[in-house]
Amino acid sequence: MRIFSGIQPTGRKHLGNYIGAIQQYVAGQDRGEAIYCIVDLHATTVPYDPAELRTGVYDLTATLLAAGLDPERSILFRQGDVQEHTELSWLLCSVTPLGELNRMHQFRDKSVTQRELVSAGLLFYPVLQAADVLAYRADEVPVGEDQREHLELMRDIARRFNARFGEGILKVPEHRIPEVGARIMDLQDPTRKMSTSGSTAEGTVYVLDEPGAIEKKLKRAVTDSANPPEIRRGPDKAGVSNLIDILAAARGTTPAEVEASMAGARGYGDLKAAAAEAVTELLAPVRERYQQLRADEEHLESVLEAGAGRARAIAAPTLADVRAAMGVGPNR
Ligand code: TRP
């Protein structure tokens, strides 16, 4: 079983990214052949700073390695290093309906809020994403609920390609949404997802936050005014539910187990303190390893380079098949 996922090298990674994506990546190493791609090319579809993009790739590489991604057991690489992605994205354009691209929610949202140039790259973002996965004939794509539309389009592109150019050339991948931590909410506004852009500074725990900052943010988390306080999940208890989910994910248990373990608690203070402790225990070692890893850019670059070589060895034969089926280039 081959797993593929892509992750943006922009923005500080937060607890929601850590639980919803990064931990899943690490776990993927035990479930199959795992391939993870740092998508620098996707990052060029919105206004960005070139120097920051490059350092962002190193920041993310160091974060992923610090979290336990093992470049011996999985393939970790930078998208821009493997030209098969860009070539395949162009070839896939021939079976991508323009109307579908226009309808994508992410494109619509970004193109209306963006005050600067809305680039064609933003519209074609999902085609490049399809190429990322299809180049590897991956079976499974672990990504959040917000990527559902992009995954459906990718599957549609693969099916259309096979129908037009030959059955079995591309693999139609499955979407896998992580059950745990798929929705870590903002600690100050638990009706909103913890996110890079849309959440509050005080309500967002960053992977690289110092223990003191983590504790402060969790201890100030919004709960509710139930009297007596009730430590249980429920649709009417967004803040408390979020803390229970966070604690469960940080401890590696289930929300039900957290509820049971909190049966003797005196109030929400106990829940917040337990969450602060568990999240600190989870992230403090990552932060320490990050600092060591981030200091050695040459090493990070050599990890990415080795990953790109291994990625290319898988993607190149797919491209050869796609080109041959499409009549592109000489007949070999
Ligand atoms: N669009 C994805 C996101 O924002 C990132 C991504 C790029 C991706 N290419 C991918 C995810 C391929 C999965 C597979 O999260």
Side-chain angles (χ1 to χ4, degrees), residues 1 48 75 98-99 164 170 176 190 205 244 270 315:
M1 145 114 106
Y48 77 102
I75 298 178
L98 177 60
R164 168 82 177 81
L170 295 178
R176 185 165 167 275
V205 172
I244 291 172
D270 288 358

Side-chain angles (χ1 to χ4, degrees), residues 4-8 39 42 125 129 132-133 141 143 147 150:
F4 185 101
S5 194
I7 183 166
Q8 290 267 5
V39 295
H42 275 114
Y125 181 113
Q129 182 165 347
D132 291 343
V133 175
V141 187
V143 274
Q147 294 297 310
H150 289 164

Side-chain angles (χ1 to χ4, degrees), residues 191-251:
T191 61
R192 279 203 304 199
K193 261 179 87 165
M194 198 178 277
S195 77
T196 315
S197 44
S199 59
T200 65
E202 278 301 291
T204 309
V205 172
Y206 293 101
V207 175
L208 301 175
D209 270 348
E210 290 179 19
I214 295 175
E215 187 174 337
K216 198 163 113 189
K217 289 174 187 174
L218 279 157
K219 290 198 166 165
R220 289 184 185 166
V222 166
T223 50
D224 56 52
S225 51
N227 193 7
E230 282 184 289
I231 301 184
R232 62 164 174 86
R233 282 166 302 154
D236 53 331
K237 297 179 71 69
V240 170
S241 301
N242 190 34
L243 285 167
I244 291 172
D245 287 345
I246 288 173
L247 183 48
R251 281 183 179 167

Side-chain angles (χ1 to χ4, degrees), residues 11 30 57 66 79 121-122 128 135 137 146 171 175 188 205-206 236 251 266 284 295 302-303 322:
D30 297 323
V57 171
Q79 189 183 34
L122 197 58
L128 180 59
R137 296 179 164 130
D146 63 324
K171 166 129 199 131
H175 188 186
Q188 289 300 317
V205 172
Y206 293 101
D236 53 331
R251 281 183 179 167
R266 285 151 306 176
S302 74
V303 167
V322 166

Side-chain angles (χ1 to χ4, degrees), residues 68-118:
L69 214 91
D70 177 356
E72 302 289 323
R73 288 204 295 147
S74 55
I75 298 178
L76 174 63
F77 73 105
R78 174 172 47 203
Q79 189 183 34
D81 291 347
V82 180
Q83 295 185 356
E84 279 76 3
H85 292 239
T86 41
E87 182 177 355
L88 184 57
S89 70
W90 175 255
L91 297 173
L92 294 177
C93 281
S94 68
V95 287
T96 305
L98 177 60
E100 292 293 314
L101 293 179
N102 251 319
R103 270 193 286 280
M104 292 285 119
H105 283 108
Q106 193 164 306
F107 172 68
R108 303 215 141 231
D109 295 347
K110 284 194 186 170
S111 58
V112 294
T113 53
Q114 199 159 295
R115 271 166 303 167
E116 289 165 77
L117 172 82
V118 175

